[in-house]
Amino acid sequence: MANPPEQPLLRLGAATAIGRRTGGGIPIPRKFAPGDQAQTPAGQKLTRLSEQLDANTPALQLRADPDALAPERLLVFELTGGILKFEQAVRLVPGLEFLGAEDLDEDEFDKNPAVYLMVPSEGALRNIVTLWRGWQRDGTVPPQFSAWKTMLSQLRNIRPWGPQDRIAPEDVDVLTAEVEAGQLTVRVEIELVFRENAEVAEREARAGIAAARGAIIARSRIEGAGYHALLTDIPTAALRDALARDPASLAGSEAILQIRPQSIFQSVSLEEVAGFPVGGAPNLAGDPIAAIFDAVPLSQHPRLAGTLSVDDPFGLEPLAVGPRKHGTAMASAVVHGDLNHAWDRPLERPIHFVNMLYATADPAHPERFPDRLPADMFEEALVRMREGNNATARHVIVINASLGDPNKPFANRISGWARVVDYLASKYGVLFVISAGNHHAYVETQGMTAGAFEALDMPQKIRVALRASASQIATRRILAPAEAINAITVGALHADHYIYPHPVAPPTFDLWDGTGLSAISSGLGPGYGGATKPDILAPGGRHYVRVDPAGDHHRLQPLTANAANFGGIAVAAPPTATSLNPNVVARTVGTSVAAALATGVAARAHEALEAAYPDFVGLPSAQRAALLKALLVHGARWTEARDLLIEILGPADNKQHYRQKDNVRRYIGFGAYDPELIVNCADDRATLWAVGTLNSDQGKRFRIPWPAAMSGKAQPHGLSATLAWFTPPKPGAVAYRGVRMKIVEPGQLGAAGVKACGTQPDPKQAHKGTVVHRRWDGEKAAAIAGDGFFELDVQREVDDLDAAANFALVVTLQMAGEAAIYTQVLNRVVIKPVVPVLA
């Protein structure tokens, strides 16, 4: 089975342990003096609470007022900025449950405001008031409560979690449309406040649902993700009351954190290709390394027969009576890539496929989830795959999930589904490759008629359309669970290998042709905590738009039903009702197929490393998964879209490069990936890799062999490095990202003749997730001796987790046209790869 590439990736030698390097300023948040604090909304409410407690106002009376600070009520502490080590301070207050913290959007007063969520008992509430009184009296608190002094000085508001919080603004329109559809009931997901006493919280929520005459369809509680949710059918009238923020409705229930629309599935457009050459399936063997979570596929399609090990834990196969489009297309893209452009390296191992959805005969909902919460299905599937003597796919370390939920665009609050993905990735050491999601709603352009738009030349059309897209970024964000910080999120590059054979006439346009942009429908970033999302772009087909007049302006409507008529990625597809050909090929566009292509590349990279290093499969699965994660991002580069995005989105002042780069990465992440950079080296390019573990507050130094061919020559050359890891999520903590790592800025840049490259996210932006990608380039002659080394340090920041964290590092040295680079580095690595002997 082994099929090593001719120039395999090279393995770095052992690292040296070093002390963690400190540095970098932390923004200082706005603070209030005690006297000023007393005049803030927070101070006034705490003063009122203090008076009520002095008067021994009963807890039940406090709870009767939905706007009061009351025992056993979820309270929102709104701060001017985050506070380190606040979790430890909370533990000093008996009866206080700290449920987590979330970042707020920057405003005119505070750059990094945050909210802290806490549920106090009556005793805890009295203790908080005691701390408040001491702070008001003389500006002090007991020494062990120093974090409380910081919190009180930064507290700008405090209030109960109320009806306005339980239905987020981004969910109102979806739920309102459901209410107005005329159905007797609406299916919604109710996420509960994650309490230590789960039974009390769920009992209260169930009582509220029963009082509203609702029905519970399914439930889930996943401890490690802080996830407790119910799938329910709610009468339309009851949901209308909740949307009206009636405190007596479900929106006023103390046990409920949020009410969200049911997760739905986004179908894809498939355009059958006539006369495509007949093809079969590769002969695959061994244990699967890659898996697909998707809709029941047509597993016996001639191009897929024998390539999939299908597991049906939810009994969906008998329900799949409609055309099995999505799962078949995703399986084809992972196994074959784009059938219009076959990969040079065939897949060698079969793919494990878990049925998550099924095809229906209803054209309005062609493929759908069963009556389960998707997050719960993901957890059950991972347990079944990895645990016990009957584990179905123990060796899988990369999972494709092209299942973006159009009902849940990311809006700064991480979804329960994404939290579960983060938890499963960390617990099992698996890499989820997730589609960014697609937006098929029109992009509206103000101040220009359709005729005026069509009269523009193509460069001006592009600019008008991009300005319109930028003005609507907030409504075109990535879709759950794409904000998961442990996952690789894949956006769709507006590119494919299909050439439409006829002229395309207005009002239909290929607006993004040759721009290097993500497809106009591709979900935009950033992700949770400002992480770079999408992480990468992979080809998702050229998505054409139609120009629709709209009075004195016009709309750009991404094609939907016939989106793949003009472009797309070629995949296996089910036959149509009138087709007699079982070997159907169709084109599709979007982020789903882009993520599937990336998953296929990750699987091939693993197989290439297996072939080059016989002991590779003996490495811990979490380290190999982290390496695949690092490789996918390492092979990405910003496209020519960078200049266009800076021109249109700005800011125009080049001194504001941080904001410029932030706008670029919203569209293209770390860049468009190149499979060749991921799997192979070249004569003039050497890529090295290492895996290992880091403890809290620990660093490691890697010595990278410097080739003689890169010394003393004043010609373009570069160095790039990517660090990836999985963090245990901490949903009930100030810092959700439990483990933070970084690449330390190298001290030898001058000697190497390079400096930080401008065509990449800013270093601060690059360090906000769980993958860091940095590049340095230059034209000055390197002063490192030909037998010397370039040193690169990675480190884990201080945290309170005792366990070591797995990581992977990938480094590339390149000097275009200098053919000796790979050989010179190969000769100096200690562990040699298996290299095929050419005939």
Side-chain angles (χ1 to χ4, degrees):
M1 185 177 81
N3 179 23
E6 294 179 13
Q7 294 171 300
L9 307 186
L10 303 175
R11 190 168 183 177
L12 278 167
T16 303
I18 59 172
R20 185 180 68 88
R21 200 182 308 178
T22 60
I26 299 175
I28 299 174
R30 178 169 59 116
K31 293 190 177 183
F32 302 98
D36 296 333
Q37 174 64 274
Q39 305 307 313
T40 67
Q44 293 168 6
K45 291 173 184 176
L46 284 169
T47 299
R48 172 62 178 154
L49 177 62
S50 175
E51 293 169 350
Q52 290 173 319
L53 293 177
D54 282 345
N56 290 317
T57 304
L60 287 177
Q61 185 174 330
L62 289 176
R63 286 173 61 85
D65 179 358
D67 295 322
L69 308 182
E72 302 303 325
R73 175 168 286 164
L74 178 59
L75 301 181
V76 179
F77 290 73
E78 188 173 313
L79 279 69
T80 59
I83 298 171
L84 296 175
K85 299 183 179 180
F86 187 70
E87 298 145 72
Q88 294 94 318
V90 168
R91 299 188 192 110
L92 297 174
V93 181
L96 183 60
E97 286 187 60
F98 180 45
L99 304 183
E102 295 180 1
D103 294 330
L104 294 173
D105 290 333
E106 176 182 341
D107 58 30
E108 60 180 315
F109 299 109
D110 302 304
K111 291 187 176 298
N112 299 286
V115 295
Y116 286 33
L117 307 179
M118 289 178 275
V119 177
S121 65
E122 183 172 352
L125 207 54
R126 289 183 179 276
N127 283 331
I128 292 172
V129 168
T130 298
L131 292 168
W132 158 254
R133 286 170 170 167
W135 158 249
Q136 283 294 296
R137 184 175 58 251
D138 54 20
T140 65
V141 297
Q144 68 269 36
F145 291 95
S146 59
W148 281 94
K149 178 179 178 180
T150 304
M151 193 200 79
L152 293 169
S153 70
Q154 293 178 208
L155 187 63
R156 66 185 196 183
N157 197 5
I158 180 173
R159 60 177 178 81
W161 185 266
Q164 73 277 12
D165 301 293
R166 294 188 177 95
I167 303 180
E170 62 271 15
D171 293 332
V172 169
D173 289 344
V174 176
L175 292 174
T176 299
E178 295 275 6
V179 165
E180 294 174 351
Q183 302 296 319
L184 293 177
T185 63
V186 177
R187 183 158 293 182
V188 298
E189 296 177 12
I190 295 180
E191 186 170 347
L192 307 185
V193 177
F194 195 85
R195 302 290 304 274
E196 294 176 6
N197 191 333
E199 292 182 5
V200 171
E202 187 165 329
R203 189 185 309 125
E204 183 179 338
R206 284 178 176 269
I209 292 167
R213 300 185 181 276
I216 295 173
I217 308 302
R219 72 173 295 276
S220 177
R221 180 178 168 92
I222 301 173
E223 192 84 23
Y227 178 70
H228 193 178
L230 304 173
L231 182 64
T232 66
D233 283 340
I234 302 298
T236 299
L239 185 55
R240 185 178 289 112
D241 291 341
L243 285 165
R245 307 302 201 278
D246 182 351
S249 72
L250 285 172
S253 172
E254 301 286 353
I256 293 175
L257 181 69
Q258 52 185 339
I259 302 170
R260 306 210 67 185
Q262 180 190 15
S263 294
I264 62 172
F265 179 64
Q266 197 172 56
S267 60
V268 299
S269 170
L270 286 177
E271 193 75 25
E272 186 171 342
V273 179
F276 203 90
V278 174
N283 185 22
L284 307 181
D287 293 318
I289 285 295
I292 301 172
F293 287 3
D294 213 288
V296 177
L298 190 64
S299 59
Q300 294 308 306
H301 189 287
R303 294 179 186 270
L304 295 177
T307 66
L308 307 177
S309 63
V310 180
D311 189 25
D312 191 29
F314 310 109
L316 304 182
E317 178 77 32
L319 302 178
V321 296
R324 303 181 178 188
K325 294 181 178 182
H326 199 272
T328 304
M330 297 309 104
S332 175
V334 173
V335 172
H336 297 283
D338 184 351
L339 291 171
N340 276 324
H341 184 72
W343 278 327
D344 294 334
R345 184 178 181 84
L347 197 67
E348 298 171 17
R349 290 175 178 263
I351 302 297
H352 185 68
F353 196 108
V354 181
N355 295 336
M356 290 278 172
L357 307 95
Y358 62 94
T360 76
D362 180 3
H365 303 283
E367 289 175 295
R368 54 161 292 173
F369 288 106
D371 293 335
R372 296 282 298 267
L373 291 157
D376 191 55
M377 296 174 71
F378 270 40
E379 193 221 14
E380 185 173 326
L382 258 294
V383 170
R384 181 181 173 95
M385 288 166 59
R386 297 293 292 273
E387 293 188 7
N389 295 330
N390 298 318
T392 57
R394 197 181 304 277
H395 301 282
V396 162
I397 61 169
V398 57
I399 299 173
N400 177 252
S402 295
L403 303 175
D405 181 358
N407 273 353
K408 295 184 179 65
F410 175 63
N412 298 330
R413 182 186 301 173
I414 192 167
S415 66
W417 192 359
R419 296 201 310 272
V420 171
V421 166
D422 284 331
Y423 163 67
L424 296 173
S426 173
K427 179 177 180 179
Y428 293 104
V430 296
L431 171 63
F432 283 91
V433 179
I434 299 179
S435 57
N438 309 303
H439 291 275
H440 295 140
Y442 58 77
V443 177
E444 188 160 343
T445 302
Q446 298 292 340
M448 179 180 290
T449 65
F453 177 81
E454 292 180 8
L456 298 173
D457 60 21
M458 186 54 72
Q460 289 306 311
K461 285 189 180 76
I462 290 170
R463 283 160 172 78
V464 169
L466 186 54
R467 287 189 189 96
S469 168
S471 71
Q472 296 167 50
I473 282 179
T475 64
R476 308 184 78 83
R477 302 288 293 276
I478 56 175
L479 305 182
E483 74 271 27
I485 62 172
N486 278 331
I488 287 292
T489 301
V490 184
L493 179 68
H494 183 84
D496 55 43
H497 293 278
Y498 175 71
I499 300 176
Y500 186 68
H502 310 292
V504 180
T508 300
F509 294 93
D510 181 9
L511 282 182
W512 288 174
D513 184 32
T515 61
L517 282 166
S518 55
I520 194 166
S521 54
S522 188
L524 305 176
Y528 184 68
T532 296
K533 295 285 179 179
D535 296 271
I536 62 172
L537 302 183
R542 286 174 293 154
H543 200 166
Y544 283 57
V545 302
R546 184 183 66 249
V547 178
D548 290 339
D552 62 352
H553 59 284
H554 67 278
R555 296 169 174 173
L556 304 175
Q557 176 65 61
L559 300 184
T560 52
N562 61 342
N565 186 48
F566 300 102
I569 308 300
V571 293
T576 60
T578 58
S579 174
L580 299 177
N581 174 24
N583 201 337
V584 174
V585 171
R587 289 187 304 276
T588 185
V589 299
T591 62
S592 285
V593 73
L597 291 179
T599 303
V601 170
R604 285 162 172 80
H606 190 284
E607 291 170 353
L609 289 163
E610 284 183 77
Y613 299 95
D615 65 340
F616 182 71
V617 292
L619 295 173
S621 63
Q623 293 183 4
R624 288 181 286 128
L627 179 57
L628 297 182
K629 181 178 181 176
L631 285 169
L632 285 174
V633 173
H634 192 73
R637 297 289 183 273
W638 273 4
T639 66
E640 60 271 32
R642 179 243 184 204
D643 293 342
L644 180 62
L645 287 163
I646 290 176
E647 175 192 339
I648 301 303
L649 277 68
D653 182 2
N654 286 330
K655 292 181 180 179
Q656 298 191 54
H657 55 84
Y658 183 91
R659 289 180 58 196
Q660 289 179 341
K661 291 182 175 184
D662 188 43
N663 285 329
V664 174
R665 72 187 182 118
R666 286 173 178 266
Y667 279 80
I668 61 177
F670 286 108
Y673 87 149
D674 181 346
E676 281 301 308
L677 295 177
I678 295 167
V679 178
N680 298 300
C681 295
D683 290 340
D684 60 358
R685 183 184 74 244
T687 296
L688 306 100
W689 62 273
V691 293
T693 61
L694 278 171
N695 292 309
S696 173
D697 202 21
Q698 183 185 28
K700 288 190 175 179
R701 173 166 295 161
F702 290 89
R703 304 183 76 211
I704 298 140
W706 192 262
M710 286 180 67
S711 293
K713 295 181 180 178
Q715 62 189 67
H717 60 287
L719 167 76
S720 57
T722 306
L723 173 68
W725 68 98
F726 298 111
T727 177
K730 298 180 66 180
V734 173
Y736 175 78
R737 186 175 51 147
V739 171
R740 295 171 296 134
M741 296 188 188
K742 68 182 296 184
I743 295 174
V744 179
E745 194 73 7
Q748 294 175 275
L749 295 179
V754 296
K755 61 181 179 180
C757 175
T759 54
Q760 61 177 335
D762 185 89
K764 292 181 181 178
Q765 297 161 356
H767 282 89
K768 289 188 174 182
T770 59
V771 60
V772 181
H773 180 58
R774 298 294 317 282
R775 292 171 52 220
W776 303 270
D777 59 14
E779 298 183 3
K780 295 181 179 179
I784 300 175
D787 58 353
F789 294 86
F790 185 89
E791 294 180 339
L792 191 67
D793 296 347
V794 300
Q795 66 186 36
R796 176 175 165 183
E797 302 299 281
V798 178
D799 58 58
D800 59 1
L801 299 176
D802 295 332
N806 293 290
F807 74 90
L809 177 68
V810 181
V811 180
T812 291
L813 299 167
Q814 183 172 15
M815 180 176 276
E818 188 56 65
I821 301 297
Y822 182 78
T823 300
Q824 290 180 359
V825 177
L826 170 65
N827 291 338
R828 294 181 60 199
V829 296
V830 176
I831 302 175
K832 307 293 184 185
V834 174
V835 180
V837 178
L838 300 179

